[in-house]
Amino acid sequence: EIVCSTCHVFQALLFDESPHKKAFAAMNLAACIACHSNHGIVPPTDAMLGTGPGSICLNCHVEGDAGYAKAAQMSQSIAELEKALANSDAILDRAERSGMEVSQPKLEQGEAQENLIKARFNIHSFDPAKVAEVVAAGKKLAAKTYRAGREALRERDFRRKGLAISLITILVVLFGLRMKLRSIEAR
């Protein structure tokens, strides 16, 4: 057994239940080392998954086989969640910089970010459905927080318009008072 599973217990459990367990054993490949190396361990990135440049999946899978399709599917799911999180982060940051209260949506955004971490973790199951389930929950939260950010910006704009109308009204009243004072002084 590889020493990696001493610390990475849950990843090892997912791997042990995956189709890769038998395939790696048949090819006499060490579970973790086949994808992550042993002495030159490179921190995992999303580029390692999928079918793009730098993908480790391409070491064994070619276009047209089931593993290739699953790798592409999991990679796409994670990319979609990352994009949803980035969009939500951007609008929440914009609302916060505008002085709007968005602490609750930001807290929920943290939960959505946890789903991204869980999705990356679930890659070790090599089951696109498991990854997609976690991604869907994250995207749902990201959509909710994005809407909250949009609503905060709408509220900001409403307040700014109200302030502008109030200032114009005050200026008109002051102008009217000044004109009235002038007419009284002229008598």
Side-chain angles (χ1 to χ4, degrees), residues 131-149:
V131 173
E133 181 181 338
V134 177
V135 165
K139 285 169 63 176
K140 183 177 179 181
L141 282 169
K144 179 181 177 187
T145 58
Y146 182 85
R147 286 190 304 272

Side-chain angles (χ1 to χ4, degrees), residues 46-52 55-58 68 71-72 75:
D46 291 340
M48 292 172 71
L49 174 68
T51 57
S55 169
I56 291 174
C57 304
L58 296 179
Y68 183 95
S75 179

Side-chain angles (χ1 to χ4, degrees), residues 36-177:
H36 296 285
S37 181
N38 55 358
H39 298 292
I41 298 171
V42 178
T45 65
D46 291 340
M48 292 172 71
L49 174 68
T51 57
S55 169
I56 291 174
C57 304
L58 296 179
N59 291 341
C60 300
H61 296 286
V62 294
E63 191 170 357
D65 74 22
Y68 183 95
K70 287 180 179 183
Q73 191 177 2
M74 289 187 292
S75 179
Q76 182 180 356
S77 290
I78 288 174
E80 288 171 1
L81 179 53
E82 282 183 313
K83 183 177 180 183
L85 289 168
N87 289 340
S88 184
D89 280 337
I91 200 163
L92 289 173
D93 288 345
R94 201 165 123 219
E96 187 175 48
R97 282 192 313 273
S98 296
M100 301 305 295
E101 172 57 43
V102 289
S103 58
Q104 183 60 38
K106 282 200 161 235
L107 185 64
E108 292 172 350
Q109 183 73 352
E111 292 176 41
Q113 192 70 37
E114 286 178 23
N115 282 79
L116 179 59
I117 293 166
K118 289 176 187 175
R120 289 175 174 147
F121 174 83
N122 274 302
I123 288 167
H124 293 90
S125 70
F126 302 98
D127 183 350
K130 283 184 181 179
V131 173
E133 181 181 338
V134 177
V135 165
K139 285 169 63 176
K140 183 177 179 181
L141 282 169
K144 179 181 177 187
T145 58
Y146 182 85
R147 286 190 304 272
R150 270 196 359 226
E151 186 56 40
L153 290 175
R154 269 194 290 255
E155 176 70 21
R156 177 205 62 189
D157 293 345
F158 177 76
R159 289 178 184 183
R160 285 180 177 175
K161 288 175 187 171
L163 179 61
I165 291 169
S166 298
L167 287 174
I168 290 170
T169 303
I170 290 169
L171 289 174
V172 168
V173 169
L174 287 175
F175 180 75
L177 286 173

